[in-house]
C-alpha cells in the first residue's frame, strides 16, 4: 500500500474541486496589494505557494477551493475574482509620487491598487452620469525648463482653466470642473505615500493625502499634481528636478508673481504676510520663500524668517480652515440615488463590493464637519 503525502492529498482535493470560471488575475493582484500583502504572506494563509499566486495573477486559474481560500485571506467575496469591470494597471512609472524614495514599495503598490479600483469605479459611474469633459491642459517641457518658462506655462494653464486674475477660489473643485478626478486617499493607505497623480486611465487622477489637515497645504498639493499633469507627460517620475518644476508651477499657478508681489512686504512683517496668506490661500512658508525668490528679501531676512517659523512649530500661525475636499463623485452618486440607481446596482454592474464602491465615493465626496451633541445632566 502506498501513502500519499499530505501536500499531494491537498493538491488532489483542489483539482477535484474544478477551476474557477472567468477568473481575473488582476483582481487578485488588486485585492492583495490593497491589503499590503506580499505573495509569500498570502501563500502562508492558503494551501498554495507564492509561485502559484504569481501564476494566478498573470492569467492562471485557481480551483474553486483555492479561490475560496484566497478570498477568505483577503477579505473579499469569491465573486470579486470573476471577470467584471476591466481594471487598468497603473505602474510606478505612470504615477508621480511626491515622496517616491521615502515610500516603501509595498505602500506604493497599495496606493496604486486603490487608484486602479478608483478608475474602474469612475468608469461604472460614467455609464449613468455624464461627468465633465477633460480640458486639454498638456504643455510638455524639456529636461531643464527655466523658471520663466514654468511661470508662463502656469499662466497659460490658468487661462485654459478660465481662472480669473487673483487667488484661485477652490483648486480641487477647479480640477474637477475640468474633468480631473480628485480623491483623498483613505486612512488605511500608508501615510508616507503623500499625494500623487497619474494619467494611466481614461481620465487624469489626483490623489491627495488625508493627513494634511490644512487648507493651504491641500491647495498646494493639488496645484503641484496639476503641474505634473500639464508638464510631465513623458517624463520618468521620481526625480527631485521634476518635483522642483511642479513646485514652481504650483507657486505661480496659485499666485502669479506680478499679482502677488504688491502684497508682499519688503522686510519681514508677519502681519502683512498673514494678510497675504488669507488672501491667496497659501502658507506662510511658501510666502517667505517667494519673498526671497522674487528678490524682495536678502539671505539674512530669509533665514531669520524660516527660523521664526520653525520655532512656531506646526500648524503654522493663521490657520485657513479645513483642507479643500473633492465633491464630484459624491454629487454624481447622489444624482444616481435620486434617479433610483443604488450602490448595490453599481456593485452588480461592476462586480466590485459595495464596500469598495463606498470607499471610492467617500474619497471623492465633500468632507462634512462632525458635530458632537453634549447633553448636560439635569441638576
Amino acid at each position: 500500500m502506498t501513502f500519499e503525502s499530505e501536500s499531494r492529498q491537498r493538491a488532489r482535493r483542489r483539482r477535484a474541486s474544478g477551476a474557477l470560471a472567468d477568473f481575473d488575475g488582476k483582481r487578485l493582484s488588486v485585492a492583495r496589494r490593497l491589503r499590503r500583502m506580499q505573495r509569500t504572506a498570502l501563500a502562508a494563509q492558503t494551501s498554495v505557494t507564492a509561485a502559484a499566486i504569481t501564476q494566478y495573477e498573470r492569467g492562471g486559474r485557481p480551483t474553486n477551493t483555492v479561490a475560496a481560500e484566497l478570498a477568505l485571506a483577503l477579505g473579499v467575496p469569491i465573486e470579486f475574482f470573476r471577470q467584471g469591470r476591466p481594471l487598468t494597471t497603473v505602474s510606478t512609472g505612470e504615477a508621480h509620487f511626491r515622496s517616491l524614495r521615502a515610500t516603501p514599495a509595498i505602500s506604493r503598490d497599495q496606493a496604486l491598487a486603490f487608484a486602479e479600483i478608483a478608475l474602474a469605479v469612475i468608469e461604472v459611474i460614467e455609464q449613468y452620469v455624464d461627468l465633465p469633459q477633460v480640458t486639454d491642459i498638456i504643455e510638455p517641457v524639456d529636461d531643464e525648463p527655466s523658471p520663466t518658462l514654468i511661470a508662463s506655462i502656469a499662466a497659460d494653464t490658468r487661462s485654459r482653466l478660465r481662472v480669473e486674475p487673483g487667488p484661485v477660489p477652490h483648486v480641487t473643485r477647479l480640477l474637477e470642473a475640468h474633468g480631473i478626478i480628485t480623491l483623498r486617499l483613505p486612512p488605511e493607505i500608508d501615510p508616507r505615500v503623500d499625494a500623487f497623480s497619474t494619467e494611466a486611465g481614461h481620465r487624469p487622477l489626483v490623489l491627495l493625502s488625508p493627513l494634511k489637515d490644512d487648507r493651504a497645504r491641500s491647495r498646494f498639493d493639488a496645484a503641484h499634481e496639476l503641474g505634473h499633469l500639464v508638464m510631465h507627460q513623458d517624463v520618468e517620475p521620481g526625480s527631485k528636478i521634476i518635483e522642483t518644476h511642479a513646485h514652481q508651477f504650483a507657486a505661480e499657478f496659485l499666485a502669479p508673481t506680478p499679482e502677488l508681489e504688491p502684497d508682499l512686504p519688503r522686510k519681514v512683517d508677519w502681519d502683512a504676510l498673514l494678510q497675504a496668506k488669507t488672501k491667496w490661500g497659501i502658507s506662510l512658508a511658501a510666502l517667505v520663500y517667494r519673498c526671497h525668490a522674487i528678490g524682495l528679501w536678502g539671505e539674512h531676512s530669509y533665514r531669520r524668517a524660516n527660523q521664526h517659523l520653525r520655532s512656531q512649530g506646526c500648524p503654522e500661525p493663521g490657520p485657513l480652515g479645513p483642507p479643500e475636499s473633492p465633491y464630484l463623485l459624491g454629487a454624481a452618486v447622489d444624482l444616481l440615488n435620486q434617479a433610483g440607481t443604488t450602490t448595490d446596482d453599481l456593485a452588480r454592474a461592476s462586480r466590485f463590493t459595495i464596500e469598495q464602491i463606498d470607499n471610492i465615493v467617500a474619497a471623492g465626496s465633500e468632507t462634512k464637519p462632525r458635530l458632537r451633541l453634549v447633553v448636560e445632566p439635569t441638576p
Side-chain angles (χ1 to χ4, degrees):
M1 178 181 296
T2 60
F3 294 92
E4 290 183 311
S5 67
E6 184 178 349
S7 61
R8 286 180 178 272
Q9 291 176 7
R10 289 199 302 267
R12 181 163 54 80
R13 287 195 295 269
R14 290 197 300 267
R15 288 193 295 272
S17 71
L20 178 66
D22 298 329
F23 181 80
D24 186 344
K26 285 186 177 180
R27 287 174 169 246
L28 171 59
S29 172
V30 161
R32 176 182 62 79
R33 289 183 290 136
L34 274 175
R35 296 285 181 180
R36 297 185 79 245
M37 292 183 71
Q38 302 283 10
R39 294 183 182 91
T40 51
L42 179 57
Q45 298 187 36
T46 68
S47 61
V48 296
T49 64
I53 292 172
T54 299
Q55 291 302 313
Y56 301 150
E57 292 184 357
R58 292 178 177 176
R61 289 198 302 166
T63 64
N64 287 288
T65 299
V66 169
E69 293 175 358
L70 294 169
L72 180 63
L74 294 171
V76 296
I78 194 171
E79 287 298 312
F80 174 74
F81 295 140
R82 296 185 183 275
Q83 292 179 5
R85 174 63 54 177
L87 293 173
T88 298
T89 300
V90 183
S91 68
T92 303
E94 296 173 301
H96 290 280
F97 283 92
R98 287 285 301 275
S99 52
L100 181 62
R101 290 175 175 79
T103 308
I106 194 170
S107 300
R108 294 198 304 270
D109 282 346
Q110 181 190 31
L112 292 173
F114 179 80
E116 290 168 8
I117 288 187
L119 288 168
V121 169
I122 292 162
E123 284 189 340
V124 174
I125 291 172
E126 287 189 274
Q127 303 301 308
Y128 303 87
V129 178
D130 290 331
L131 300 182
Q133 292 187 343
V134 180
T135 300
D136 181 12
I137 55 172
I138 297 173
E139 195 166 345
V141 297
D142 57 22
D143 293 338
E144 297 182 3
S146 67
T148 301
L149 176 58
I150 292 176
S152 175
I153 292 172
D156 290 344
T157 305
R158 283 174 66 103
S159 177
R160 290 192 184 101
L161 300 184
R162 300 190 293 279
V163 178
E164 298 291 334
V168 181
H170 199 296
V171 182
T172 300
R173 298 281 176 87
L174 177 67
L175 300 188
E176 292 181 318
H178 291 273
I180 300 171
I181 302 297
T182 306
L183 307 174
R184 289 182 310 275
L185 287 166
E188 60 266 23
I189 301 295
D190 189 334
R192 288 174 290 181
V193 169
D194 209 329
F196 72 99
S197 56
T198 182
E199 285 197 284
H202 68 295
R203 279 181 178 272
L205 186 63
V206 169
L207 296 109
L208 303 173
S209 169
L211 300 181
K212 294 184 178 179
D213 192 19
D214 180 272
R215 190 174 188 84
R217 294 179 71 185
S218 72
R219 286 165 56 83
F220 194 90
D221 279 358
H224 177 102
E225 298 308 324
L226 175 63
H228 284 312
L229 296 175
V230 171
M231 300 186 295
H232 300 140
Q233 301 298 304
D234 300 310
V235 179
E236 184 70 23
S239 76
K240 290 184 178 180
I241 294 175
I242 67 167
E243 289 301 306
T244 298
H245 296 165
H247 268 57
Q248 293 170 345
F249 174 96
E252 289 289 343
F253 181 81
L254 292 172
T257 295
E259 298 181 48
L260 174 65
E261 186 171 351
D263 295 327
L264 297 178
R266 270 48 184 173
K267 61 180 181 180
V268 178
D269 181 339
W270 293 107
D271 288 337
L273 289 170
L274 284 168
Q275 289 177 14
K277 175 177 180 175
T278 301
K279 175 179 176 179
W280 291 95
I282 55 182
S283 68
L284 290 176
L287 290 169
V288 166
Y289 177 84
R290 296 291 290 280
C291 287
H292 181 247
I294 292 171
L296 301 180
W297 294 1
E299 193 67 30
H300 176 71
S301 294
Y302 179 57
R303 286 201 306 269
R304 184 160 56 89
N306 277 314
Q307 288 170 357
H308 177 76
L309 283 177
R310 285 194 293 271
S311 72
Q312 296 291 305
C314 292
E316 67 175 29
L320 300 177
E324 293 184 348
S325 289
Y327 169 81
L328 185 61
L329 288 192
V333 171
D334 285 345
L335 284 176
L336 288 179
N337 288 332
Q338 293 170 23
T341 300
T342 66
T343 303
D344 289 357
D345 298 324
L346 298 179
R348 282 192 293 270
S350 62
R351 278 189 172 162
F352 293 127
T353 67
I354 293 175
E355 180 185 9
Q356 287 167 338
I357 292 177
D358 284 343
N359 285 343
I360 299 298
V361 173
S365 301
E366 185 174 18
T367 302
K368 296 180 175 60
R370 301 183 70 177
L371 303 179
R372 185 175 183 180
L373 179 64
V374 178
V375 179
E376 296 290 342
T378 303

